[in-house]
Amino acid sequence: MLPLSGNSSPEHHPRKLKSYELFGRKNSFNSLLQQFHHQQSRLWLLLTILCLQILLLFIIRFLSLPLPLPLPPAISSAANRLHRFPSAAVSPASTDGDHCKNGRIFVYDLPTAFNQDIVNNCDSLNPWSSSCSAMVNGGFGQRADSLAGVIPENLLASWYWTDQFVTEIIFHNRIMKHKCRVKEPESATAFYVPFYAGLAVGKFLWTASSAEDRDHHCRMILKWLSDQEYYKKSNGWDHFITMGRITWDFRRSSDEDWGSRCIYLPGMRNITRLLIERNPWDYFDVGVPYPTGFHPSSQDDMSAWQDFVRTRSRTHLFCFAGAKRAAFRNDFRGILLDQCRNSTAEKCRVVDCAGSRCSNGTSAILESFLNSDFCLQPRGDSFTRRSIFDCMVAGAIPVFFWRRTAYYQYEWFLPGKPESYSVFIDRNAVKNGTASIEAVLEKFSREEVREMRERVIESIPKFVYGTGAVRDAFDVAVDGVLRRFKEQEEWGYKWK
């Protein structure tokens, strides 16, 4: 997708002719005609006419072609050229009259093998334990009643133990009730494919499964789509799907590697894909927030939570929730744990997540984020981690060590100026001991901390998933997709 660049080959410049060789005594059209009576000048004339004809044919051919589709502007970086997306900022609730100005959505009624049957077999979705509890309450999971005493009692009903891989279920449930959903495909400008790709492949990622097993569901859905009239019309350009895992789980290069080949299979190329971590170099990948445990059911609940975290008394400068990775040499998480434990006057609070103690969150994690100004966010198993959003929903300011952890991932959902809501520290400076995390964070004044926290709190509605009564991450994502499809039509170019 990116333009190729390279050094052009050297040009051989012809000898510069003296003026009298071309123009004679006068630099005029008449004197030029006189020169053309000579044999050498006639040759130049023929060459000039031939060049003009070639140029004219090229211009005519160029004007007859459709305009090329402009790629989103690139993030300026000497090392990377990463695709950005058009802004999809939260706006005031629209009236029904203009709510669908960017288009309408048709939701495919898929065979149940691609969604409902997968959920019904929740006992076998991972090799260690049943996932059925994560599927209840529309994908939100079980209610987080054990948070009583940690959060205000009137907000307890908005909190659940939500699994990080359930965006497919959440999006499907919400889009079925979307104001711009239509039941007639001929009146749609966007087509949603409610295939649970992440849940389907998840059961095969940790077992000795074959490449055929890992690709089975995706091959079948693409075969099914290839027979659909509106898919064939657009070649997939106006279709979108939620894939509830990171993009790398669907980008297997060879049969021996990790994951499925779903994104690389024929038919998937032009479909817009909503993933909890995207490939920054792929225009069709869109990063959407990991689900947190907070799912407000009204604007009052949202406002009450924002007020709660805004006025919270915070006793620690920073915190870290995570575990060492013993298999990694010079594990960066281990360095963070050491700096946190060695902070002066216990300015850092540690939640050691060794084992599975922090799976889907615990009250200790939420309390840690609620009681700290900053929260350390290294990369997880991949560049992103759910803890980013758990931290921010609690009103803590994230501290990043890789730009790809957030800045190149969630551009529709987080503030445009990274320094307005977060802190970036060079991980290499932390590794070699030239940067102390505690020293860096202590340099921020109380007013600077308050301003950054306010930017985090203002953004909460854009990265949580509610029940539909509040404009949230789901709405931002769908609005962004509809806007993208509309712009593609206006640009008037799609490859086949």
Side-chain angles (χ1 to χ4, degrees), residues 191-204:
F191 296 80
Y192 183 68
V193 184
F195 166 44
Y196 296 173
L199 294 178
V201 76
K203 65 183 294 182
F204 299 111

Side-chain angles (χ1 to χ4, degrees), residues 367-380:
E367 284 185 280
S368 176
F369 292 150
L370 286 170
N371 291 333
S372 303
D373 285 328
F374 299 93
C375 56
L376 307 185
Q377 295 298 331
R379 57 173 292 171

Side-chain angles (χ1 to χ4, degrees), residues 54 57 76 144-145 171 185 361 383 393 479:
I54 293 172
L57 287 173
S76 66
D145 294 333
F171 271 76
F383 282 99
V393 81
D479 287 354

Side-chain angles (χ1 to χ4, degrees), residues 204-222:
F204 299 111
L205 293 177
W206 308 101
T207 59
S209 58
S210 67
E212 183 179 354
D213 288 337
R214 286 173 278 164
D215 296 345
H216 172 72
H217 281 88
C218 195
R219 289 189 186 277
M220 294 301 293
I221 190 64
L222 291 174

Side-chain angles (χ1 to χ4, degrees), residues 407-478:
Y407 303 153
Y408 301 161
Q409 290 290 337
Y410 310 107
E411 296 164 282
W412 287 356
F413 307 89
L414 299 178
K417 294 182 178 180
E419 67 277 7
S420 71
Y421 74 95
S422 66
V423 176
F424 182 81
I425 301 177
D426 181 1
R427 63 186 175 278
N428 293 315
V430 176
K431 287 179 180 179
N432 63 29
T434 59
S436 159
I437 295 173
E438 180 182 342
V440 171
L441 299 181
E442 280 190 322
K443 289 181 180 178
F444 290 96
S445 68
R446 296 314 303 166
E447 179 60 21
E448 288 172 324
V449 170
R450 187 197 66 78
E451 289 177 357
M452 282 191 284
R453 175 173 297 115
E454 190 58 34
R455 291 295 286 149
V456 169
I457 293 171
E458 289 172 355
S459 300
I460 290 176
K462 294 173 64 177
F463 60 72
V464 299
Y465 298 95
T467 62
V470 180
R471 183 172 170 79
D472 61 359
F474 168 83
D475 295 305
V476 173
V478 172

Side-chain angles (χ1 to χ4, degrees), residues 207-241:
T207 59
S209 58
S210 67
E212 183 179 354
D213 288 337
R214 286 173 278 164
D215 296 345
H216 172 72
H217 281 88
C218 195
R219 289 189 186 277
M220 294 301 293
I221 190 64
L222 291 174
K223 184 177 184 299
W224 186 90
L225 275 177
S226 68
D227 293 329
Q228 305 306 308
E229 175 186 356
Y230 289 91
Y231 176 85
K232 290 189 285 188
K233 271 186 178 181
S234 71
N235 222 23
W237 276 88
D238 52 8
H239 285 53
F240 68 111
I241 185 173

